[in-house]
Amino acid sequence: MKGFVSSRLHPLVNLILLVGIMLGAFCIAGFFIMVIGHLAFGLGALELGNVTQNPAAYEQGWSFTMLSQGVLLFVGFGCSALALAKVTGNSIPQYFAPRRPVPFWLLLAAGLLILGTIPFMSGLIEWNAKAHFPAFLKDMEASARAMEDKAQELTKYLTRFTSFSRFLIGLLVIAVVPAISEELVFRGVIQRNLVQWFGSRHVGVWVAATIFSAIHFQFFGFVPRLVLGVLLGYLYEWSGNILVPMAAHFTQNAFQLILLYLQQRHVADTFNPDSTESLPWPLVLGSVLLTALLLRGMQRWLAAPVASDEVRLPSEMHTLSSGGAAVARPGSYVPSTGRTLGRAGVDGSHEKSAR
């Protein structure tokens, strides 16, 4: 299918094009949010910013904030990635899942891998949360911590599920939409083009993961999110199907939301997903070993060729002649003279000339 621009653009040009499409998509998403906010919530243009900054002060602040978060992510990220594939004349399945279909059990394995990393991640979270800037950057550190504290307050407000319906909405907006939209952009487009640009899978995975972590603007959670991005990146590189990192990303977010909901219902209080304290070191060490084993096993299985990857050589050769169709099989007589049809008619190419 032919697109508006060439499908053979330099990877850097593709990334610049993605940024341009995302800027336009965010403008469109903002317009939709403004219209829906006025029609569904009765909010004027001047009130939208106030609700976003302090949703707890408004009766419909939670609903409007969740709606705006979901629309911004889906349109600004997900639709932008899909639009880039179409604009460059690519089929969406071929662009985001170019190598192979994946069995359902592999999606489950990706989710289990992420669950296995939770103790290990808790150690990284504690270490990163206690990190400090150099003394001459203490003012910057104070500003960064104030920004993260404010973001944490908003997150706690949005994940305060007073009903099961709110929990389902949170699952959709905080787990499903980010898993789809962010993976399409960061793994499906950014990582793909970085791998092509640098000619290295590893460089592409790590640079894309760095961008993925940095775009969240949370320095004191940068390292755990970087590691998560690396895991998601290798899952995409090995599987060749965007559904695999999507399943892992969804599991990461959904598991935390389920634990929060169960705690709020006083069903489970053993593990606080909002805590920045590490789990006991035996669990952390076991998590590291389990993660390494699972990654190694998945990498070896995904590296094995499948039927669609193999080059199938013909077992028979059919030749059309004046006597009809002749079939040559392994061990059959192979003529020493080939016949080539050219402008002057049939030309006999002898064995000597063929050499």
Side-chain angles (χ1 to χ4, degrees):
M1 181 183 128
K2 188 175 181 181
F4 292 103
V5 297
S6 172
S7 60
R8 298 182 179 180
L9 294 174
H10 189 278
L12 177 59
V13 178
N14 280 328
L15 294 176
I16 294 173
L17 182 58
L18 173 67
V19 173
I21 293 175
M22 291 181 70
L23 290 175
F26 278 121
C27 292
I28 295 172
F31 174 76
F32 284 155
I33 291 170
M34 184 173 64
V35 171
I36 296 173
H38 177 70
L39 296 178
F41 300 95
L43 298 173
L46 297 178
E47 292 179 291
L48 295 179
N50 296 331
V51 176
T52 303
Q53 291 295 323
N54 188 19
Y58 293 81
E59 182 180 356
Q60 296 178 315
W62 188 90
S63 300
F64 175 75
T65 305
M66 294 295 278
L67 174 68
S68 60
Q69 293 269 351
V71 172
L72 281 173
L73 268 177
F74 182 73
V75 176
F77 281 80
C79 292
S80 296
L82 298 176
L84 178 71
K86 300 298 290 185
V87 163
T88 52
N90 292 284
S91 161
I92 289 177
Q94 183 63 27
Y95 193 88
F96 294 104
R99 286 198 293 275
R100 67 172 80 201
V102 293
F104 181 71
W105 72 262
L106 183 57
L107 304 181
L108 294 177
L112 290 175
L113 170 67
I114 293 300
L115 294 180
T117 65
I118 289 175
F120 168 55
M121 288 293 189
S122 72
L124 290 179
I125 289 171
E126 179 178 4
W127 173 81
N128 201 170
K130 293 180 178 179
H132 292 282
F133 289 9
F136 66 92
L137 294 176
K138 63 179 182 179
D139 292 337
M140 183 181 295
E141 179 181 346
S143 299
R145 289 193 181 276
M147 289 178 59
E148 294 207 15
D149 290 341
K150 188 174 182 179
Q152 186 65 22
E153 290 179 6
L154 177 61
T155 301
K156 288 182 178 180
Y157 171 73
L158 293 178
T159 54
R160 193 177 303 134
F161 304 122
T162 57
S163 65
F164 184 67
S165 60
R166 278 200 172 194
F167 167 70
L168 292 179
I169 294 172
L171 200 63
L172 174 65
V173 175
I174 302 175
V176 176
V177 174
I180 295 173
S181 302
E182 292 182 4
E183 291 311 304
L184 285 173
V185 168
F186 291 105
R187 255 57 65 180
V189 175
I190 294 178
Q191 178 175 304
R192 171 194 175 103
N193 282 278
L194 288 174
V195 169
Q196 293 176 357
W197 187 5
F198 293 107
S200 168
R201 280 183 165 189
H202 303 297
V203 174
V205 166
W206 281 88
V207 174
T210 302
I211 297 172
F212 168 71
S213 185
I215 206 70
H216 287 81
F217 296 103
Q218 291 182 324
F219 172 80
F220 298 101
F222 181 86
V223 174
R225 192 171 282 110
L226 169 67
V227 174
L228 174 63
V230 169
L231 291 175
L232 297 173
Y234 279 113
L235 286 177
Y236 183 49
E237 280 300 306
W238 294 339
S239 68
N241 193 310
I242 198 66
L243 292 177
V244 178
M246 281 182 180
H249 196 152
F250 168 78
T251 303
Q252 167 75 19
N253 294 355
F255 181 73
Q256 295 187 36
L257 292 181
I258 292 171
L259 284 182
L260 281 172
Y261 181 71
L262 293 177
Q263 283 186 340
Q264 292 167 12
R265 301 275 78 78
H266 304 289
V267 175
D269 297 319
T270 55
F271 175 66
N272 181 10
D274 284 336
S275 174
T276 58
E277 295 183 1
S278 175
L279 291 172
W281 70 264
L283 289 178
V284 175
L285 180 59
S287 174
V288 172
L289 296 175
L290 177 63
T291 301
L293 290 174
L294 287 174
L295 281 173
R296 179 59 176 165
M298 293 181 71
Q299 192 272 336
R300 293 183 65 179
W301 185 87
L302 290 168
V306 295
S308 59
D309 296 333
E310 295 174 353
V311 178
R312 298 181 178 179
L313 298 176
S315 58
E316 296 182 352
M317 181 175 66
H318 296 254
T319 306
L320 184 63
S321 65
S322 59
V327 179
R329 297 183 176 85
S332 301
Y333 166 73
V334 179
S336 59
T337 303
R339 301 293 180 180
T340 305
L341 181 63
R343 288 179 298 176
V346 177
D347 173 44
S349 301
H350 296 283
E351 183 179 2
K352 182 178 180 180
S353 61
R355 294 177 183 173

